[in-house]
Amino acid sequence: MMKEKTDKKESAKKAEKIDKLKEFEAKFTELQTQCEELESKVSEAEQKAADANDKYVRMAAEFDNYRRRTAKEKLELVNTAGEDVIKGLLPILDDCERALNMLKGSNADASAIEGTELILNKLFGYLKTKGVEKIEAVGKELDTDYHEAVAQFPVEDLEKKNKIIDVVQQGYLLHEKVIRYSKVVVGI
């Protein structure tokens, strides 16, 4: 009988251990499922954070490009704001140069020549402060980015062939941008 009692106790202990083991397995399975769910949520959160970071970096770069572009546009606008006014002054500058050449070619009074030179220098000096420069042409090869050929003239000197030999109308740059092309005569 004693053996039966011990067998029953051992059976009861084994059954209790099996129940605990089954309970432990159920909890373990439940914890594994929860762990997988948490890992999935962490993965989703990491992906969302990476997407948000990517969007932030892109927007920051886009804003930086926008800022640079608008600053460049402002600078160009400031540099060329008076372009129309300056273009309007160029014929007056041409007339002053013609008047000075006419005075020098005639028997004009020295004070008239000096006064016209003073006006011409003052006007061109002012335009220079605003960024206007003459386009140098005589003796150079024709460059269609700066010159407009209005005539060709035969020349005997080989050094003058395909070079500019005369300027009909002076060309000008405003902050390195052509505002009037030089009208030139090219030697052939």
Side-chain angles (χ1 to χ4, degrees):
M1 197 149 190
M2 213 32 155
K3 191 173 183 190
E4 269 183 37
K5 277 188 178 182
T6 44
D7 282 344
K8 280 187 181 180
K9 279 185 183 179
E10 281 181 27
S11 289
K13 281 183 181 180
K14 280 184 183 178
E16 192 178 308
K17 283 182 181 180
I18 290 174
D19 287 343
K20 283 185 179 181
L21 187 59
K22 285 182 181 177
E23 191 178 304
F24 179 74
E25 283 179 349
K27 283 184 179 181
F28 181 75
T29 305
E30 183 182 325
L31 287 174
Q32 271 186 325
T33 306
Q34 287 177 354
C35 186
E36 288 171 1
E37 287 175 4
L38 289 174
E39 285 176 351
S40 173
K41 287 180 181 179
V42 165
S43 177
E44 286 177 23
E46 286 175 345
Q47 184 62 39
K48 285 181 182 178
D51 290 345
N53 188 41
D54 184 53
K55 284 181 183 178
Y56 169 75
V57 168
R58 289 178 189 273
M59 291 202 51
E62 189 175 318
F63 178 73
D64 195 40
N65 290 339
Y66 166 77
R67 187 179 47 79
R68 284 185 194 147
R69 186 176 56 252
T70 56
K72 183 180 177 184
E73 288 171 357
K74 279 182 185 178
L75 184 62
E76 286 177 8
L77 183 63
V78 167
N79 284 341
T80 59
E83 185 175 337
D84 288 339
V85 173
I86 289 172
K87 280 183 181 178
L89 290 174
L90 293 180
I92 298 168
L93 188 63
D94 293 340
D95 290 343
C96 286
E97 286 177 346
R98 279 190 217 101
L100 183 61
N101 290 337
M102 290 295 290
L103 288 172
K104 285 181 178 178
S106 67
N107 293 333
D109 187 22
S111 61
I113 293 173
E114 187 179 329
T116 307
E117 278 180 337
L118 180 66
I119 292 169
L120 178 64
N121 291 337
K122 213 175 205 183
L123 178 58
F124 190 68
Y126 173 76
L127 292 175
K128 261 188 162 179
T129 64
K130 299 303 176 192
V132 175
E133 300 172 44
K134 285 184 177 183
I135 297 175
E136 297 300 323
V138 175
K140 295 189 175 188
E141 288 196 19
L142 180 71
D143 182 354
T144 55
D145 290 335
Y146 300 102
H147 311 121
E148 180 183 337
V150 292
Q152 293 181 337
F153 195 78
V155 291
E156 291 181 19
D157 189 1
L158 291 175
E159 290 181 11
K160 290 186 178 181
K161 286 198 183 272
N162 296 323
K163 303 247 178 171
I164 298 169
I165 57 172
D166 191 22
V167 176
V168 177
Q169 185 179 41
Q170 181 64 51
Y172 293 96
L173 300 170
L174 176 62
H175 299 290
E176 299 180 12
K177 176 186 172 198
V178 176
I179 56 173
R180 186 169 80 183
Y181 292 92
S182 290
K183 294 186 179 171
V184 298
V185 177
V186 179
I188 55 169

